[in-house]
């Protein structure tokens, strides 16, 4: 029996908004170092397959009506495909990234020229939209593994938005965008066990109706999802989460990024949003 919430006509209630994304092809993608538990340099990567999977994601965004700017990949920067880490853009202001590990440091500059708006160089370590997620009028800000908590205050000042700091505790979910996805201005989905007890309390208080993800959906990086307010592009293997989202009137769209998962990334990591 289909419940009222799964009737397709109700999807009309959710209004998508057109987005501008920045992506970078996995032309030089490789797993040459290990800076998160997903990365094992001994496991071979099929770069052609990675490219086909990435291109399917790009086409999905285009088919949904979004604009996609493609930034050329730079040799020697194998993680540059994970464009989301390069900056955070809000209302025409761009807070640049400052990567934690030296291997990724040059990526911020490689993206900079392609990001419209007033660019502000950061003082503190922060990995862009990996840890800074725009949720309506607030910035949800992750820390624990990559982004320095002092960057949360800096981001608030530069982007002129209040930040809500959240502490990550599970190394598999090292960036906020691996543990939580923003679905709409007021809705999120997250894995409670990825957060400290205090942060779980903050999330439960602010989002009492959040879609709580399961361990098995999070373990395929299901939370690394991109929502336009109606369509949610997420890893195809996150079937439980997709069903829950459909129940809430979202339209989940599964994509397979198995090769990029070897670098510890999914659809959201490959998608940086520009907010004019
Ligand atoms: N290998 C990259 C790293 O560990 C993956 C980044 C994934 N990006 C993201 N937004 N979670 O830095």
């Amino acid at each position: 029996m289909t419940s009222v919430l799964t009737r397709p006509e109700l999807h009309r209630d959710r209004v998508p908004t057109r987005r501008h994304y920045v992506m970078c092809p996995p032309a030089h993608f490789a797993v040459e170092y290990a800076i998160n538990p997903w990365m094992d340099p001994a496991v071979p990567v099929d770069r052609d397959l990675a490219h086909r999977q990435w291109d399917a994601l790009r086409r999905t965004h285009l088919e949904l009506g979004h604009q996609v700017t493609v930034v050329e990949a730079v040799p020697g920067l194998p993680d540059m495909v994970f464009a989301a880490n390069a900056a955070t853009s809000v209302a025409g202001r761009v807070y640049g990234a400052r990567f934690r590990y030296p291997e990724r440091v040059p990526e911020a500059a490689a993206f900079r020229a392609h990001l419209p708006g007033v660019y502000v160089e950061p003082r503190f370590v922060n990995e862009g939209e990996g840890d800074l997620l725009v949720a309506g009028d607030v910035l949800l800000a992750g820390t624990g593994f990559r982004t320095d908590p002092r960057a949360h205050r800096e981001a608030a000042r530069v982007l002129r938005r209040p930040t809500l700091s959240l502490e990550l505790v599970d190394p598999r979910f090292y960036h906020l965008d691996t543990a939580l996805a923003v679905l709409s201005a007021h809705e999120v989905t997250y894995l409670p066990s990825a957060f400290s007890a205090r942060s779980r309390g903050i999330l439960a208080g602010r989002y009492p109706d959040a879609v709580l993800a399961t361990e098995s959906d999070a373990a395929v990086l299901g939370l690394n999802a991109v929502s336009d307010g109606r369509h949610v592009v997420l890893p195809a293997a996150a079937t439980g989460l997709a069903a829950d989202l459909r129940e809430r009137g979202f339209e989940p769209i599964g994509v397979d990024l198995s090769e990029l998962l070897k670098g510890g990334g999914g659809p959201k990591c490959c998608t940086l949003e520009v907010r004019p």
Side-chain angles (χ1 to χ4, degrees):
M1 210 181 95
T2 45
S3 81
V4 176
L5 283 171
T6 56
R7 284 210 317 257
E9 61 269 27
L10 286 183
H11 286 179
R12 271 189 240 118
D13 295 340
R14 297 229 175 244
V15 184
T17 51
R18 187 168 190 261
R19 309 297 172 113
H20 178 186
Y21 298 134
V22 171
M23 299 179 69
C24 175
H28 306 289
F29 174 62
V31 179
E32 291 168 352
Y33 47 82
I35 55 173
N36 71 55
W38 304 82
M39 301 175 83
D40 179 355
V43 174
V45 165
D46 181 339
R47 200 178 279 158
D48 289 332
L49 178 56
H51 193 275
R52 288 196 297 278
Q53 293 176 335
W54 174 88
D55 202 51
L57 172 65
R58 185 185 63 87
R59 281 184 281 108
T60 299
H61 289 325
L62 292 174
E63 279 158 21
L64 292 173
H66 305 306
Q67 180 187 345
V68 178
T69 298
V70 174
V71 171
E72 205 184 319
V74 175
L77 298 178
D79 271 336
M80 204 176 153
V81 63
F82 302 118
N85 299 128
T88 309
S89 146
V90 177
R93 295 177 64 82
V94 181
Y95 177 52
R98 184 167 175 152
F99 285 86
R100 174 152 306 270
Y101 296 108
E103 292 91 337
R104 297 197 67 188
V105 166
E107 291 182 39
F111 279 97
R112 177 175 178 158
H114 305 276
L115 304 175
V118 179
Y119 191 96
V120 180
E121 201 72 64
R123 259 186 72 202
F124 298 110
V125 166
N126 83 87
E127 298 203 342
E129 287 196 326
D131 276 323
L132 297 167
L133 296 175
V134 180
D137 292 336
V138 302
L139 280 172
L140 303 180
T143 187
F145 297 100
R146 299 289 179 92
T147 294
D148 186 321
R150 289 172 294 178
H152 295 179
R153 296 229 324 255
E154 188 177 42
R157 185 172 50 74
V158 171
L159 298 174
R160 300 173 176 161
R161 293 284 185 280
T163 43
L164 197 67
S165 291
L166 299 167
E167 193 192 352
L168 298 162
V169 296
D170 183 332
R172 291 173 301 161
F173 309 117
Y174 57 94
H175 274 144
L176 183 60
D177 73 355
T178 64
L180 180 149
V182 175
L183 300 171
S184 71
H186 306 286
E187 292 163 290
V188 301
T189 174
Y190 65 95
L191 178 72
S193 64
F195 295 90
S196 68
R198 191 177 132 75
S199 297
R200 281 202 297 276
I202 292 171
L203 286 167
R206 187 171 183 97
Y207 301 107
D209 301 322
V211 179
L212 299 183
T214 61
E215 173 70 31
S216 58
D217 286 319
V220 291
L221 283 193
L223 288 163
N224 198 249
V226 183
S227 175
D228 64 10
R230 168 171 162 162
H231 311 99
V232 184
V233 180
L234 80 172
T239 51
L241 180 57
D244 289 346
L245 293 174
R246 203 172 285 114
E247 274 284 317
R248 304 282 185 113
F250 291 98
E251 260 186 70
I253 299 166
V255 292
D256 181 7
L257 292 181
S258 59
E259 288 307 300
L260 297 170
L261 189 61
K262 295 174 181 173
K268 171 60 209 165
C269 301
C270 298
T271 310
L272 173 64
E273 184 167 347
V274 171
R275 298 178 186 85

